[in-house]
Amino acid sequence: MEFKDYYKILDVDPDADNKTIKTAYRKLARKYHPDVSDHHDAEEKFKEAGEAYEVLKNTKKRAEYDEIREYGSHGQHFQPPPGSQSSGHSGEHYQGNFSDFFSSMFGNSGRDEAQGFRSEYAFNQKGQDIETDMPIFLEDTLSDVSKTISYRLPNRDSNGRITEINKTLNVKIPAGADDGERIRLKGQGAQSIGDGPNGDLYLRIRLVPHPLFDVEAHNLIITTPIAPWEAALGAKIQIPTLSGKINVLIPANSQTGQRLRIKGKGLVRKDGHGDLYAVLKIVMPDTSNDEITQQWEQLAAKAAFDPRAEWSK
């Protein structure tokens, strides 16, 4: 079994906070998504980043992983230390997208090849249902889109031997698909016993994190940097949406954290569209000079403004 150094995979320090881990995962998920990457190992790297994020984003899983990390080295053979065992998180069932290392730590990987074919099962038994993730971009949810998915199935040959085979399908993903939503493909799971029906394939929709947008239900949130003078005087700026750039008016005397609603520019939903919220963030220029500093000093003197006046009340 090969050891996985999840911190190395995401290229973060072992003491990285959740925000840093999330940002690193977003970057890799976008880079190696099989739909856009021409890297020869893109699919494997995409799954590897997802596995690392699954562990490090969860406080309990991360703590368990940190305890055994000192016993392994990334890419090397790993033997669990004496006394360690799978946590077997109750109710969690991982199908086909996680490594043996992950499964050894966090429970059943869903690879019981004999499931659905055991002799004690009745003849004409329905085949095993398969559940796997279907990663899609936020942009893909705006309209119906066709995606190709490959997955592994347990297969029983004429001599009763159980092996795994690869299967590829072209799947139509409906507009407005939600993160975590399951799509059922009847008869696309494992083969049956005797004359029973084949199992079904269930696709779990997983929205790939976007580098710019956060998701709140069907609404999108984008942090929008503005200059101090744009906040003070107001401005017309361009901001990105999932379907292209649009012009937005920044009101005069805007504040950091202020939210501007752009109606109908969020995710698709059954009764229309969600909204896009531009969250304003005032940023200072990277460089300055004596003239600019003098102008700031003059402004400070004329404005006679105390931003912390509330503290004295």
Side-chain angles (χ1 to χ4, degrees), residues 153-165:
L153 285 174
N155 182 69
R156 186 169 183 259
D157 65 20
S158 58
N159 295 319
R161 290 189 297 264
I162 305 298
T163 59
E164 281 194 341
I165 61 172

Side-chain angles (χ1 to χ4, degrees), residues 18-238:
N18 288 340
K19 182 178 180 181
T20 300
I21 289 170
K22 182 178 181 180
T23 299
Y25 168 62
R26 284 184 170 192
K27 180 180 177 181
L28 291 176
R30 197 77 179 180
K31 179 179 179 180
Y32 291 117
H33 192 287
D35 284 354
V36 299
S37 178
D38 56 3
H39 192 280
H40 72 281
D41 214 13
E43 183 174 0
E44 184 62 30
K45 286 185 175 293
F46 180 83
K47 291 180 179 179
E48 197 173 51
E51 179 177 317
Y53 185 57
E54 176 71 27
V55 173
L56 299 186
K57 74 177 181 179
N58 183 289
T59 301
K60 185 175 180 181
K61 287 192 181 81
R62 184 175 180 180
E64 293 178 22
Y65 172 72
D66 287 344
E67 287 183 3
I68 63 98
R69 182 170 176 263
E70 61 182 288
Y71 296 98
S73 180
H74 185 68
Q76 301 299 312
H77 178 74
F78 177 69
Q79 181 66 39
S84 67
Q85 58 182 1
S86 165
S87 62
H89 293 273
S90 177
E92 295 189 359
H93 182 78
Y94 302 99
Q95 174 60 47
N97 294 297
F98 295 95
S99 68
D100 291 337
F101 173 74
F102 179 96
S103 302
S104 73
M105 287 191 61
F106 302 111
N108 181 12
S109 69
R111 295 179 181 175
D112 184 355
E113 295 178 336
Q115 182 178 354
F117 296 105
R118 292 173 181 157
S119 60
E120 65 266 31
Y121 278 22
F123 196 68
N124 295 338
Q125 174 73 30
K126 179 186 176 183
Q128 176 188 351
D129 290 340
I130 302 295
E131 186 166 341
T132 190
D133 286 346
M134 181 63 155
I136 62 173
F137 290 137
L138 295 183
E139 293 87 343
D140 294 333
T141 67
L142 299 182
S143 59
D144 293 347
V145 63
S146 292
K147 292 283 184 179
T148 300
I149 184 170
S150 296
Y151 59 104
R152 298 185 68 79
L153 285 174
N155 182 69
R156 186 169 183 259
D157 65 20
S158 58
N159 295 319
R161 290 189 297 264
I162 305 298
T163 59
E164 281 194 341
I165 61 172
N166 287 318
K167 187 170 184 178
T168 300
L169 290 176
N170 194 43
V171 181
K172 183 177 181 181
I173 306 299
D178 280 335
D179 189 60
E181 179 180 342
R182 295 204 316 167
I183 297 175
R184 178 192 179 201
L185 300 177
K186 188 176 180 180
Q188 297 299 333
Q191 68 183 120
S192 65
I193 297 177
D195 294 327
N198 287 346
D200 300 327
L201 172 65
Y202 289 89
L203 300 179
R204 287 189 305 265
I205 298 298
R206 296 301 188 202
L207 298 181
V208 176
H210 197 282
L212 297 179
F213 303 104
D214 286 318
V215 178
E216 290 184 0
H218 286 85
N219 298 324
L220 295 176
I221 312 297
I222 183 169
T223 299
T224 306
I226 59 174
W229 47 89
E230 291 176 324
L233 304 175
K236 178 188 285 188
I237 67 171
Q238 278 195 337

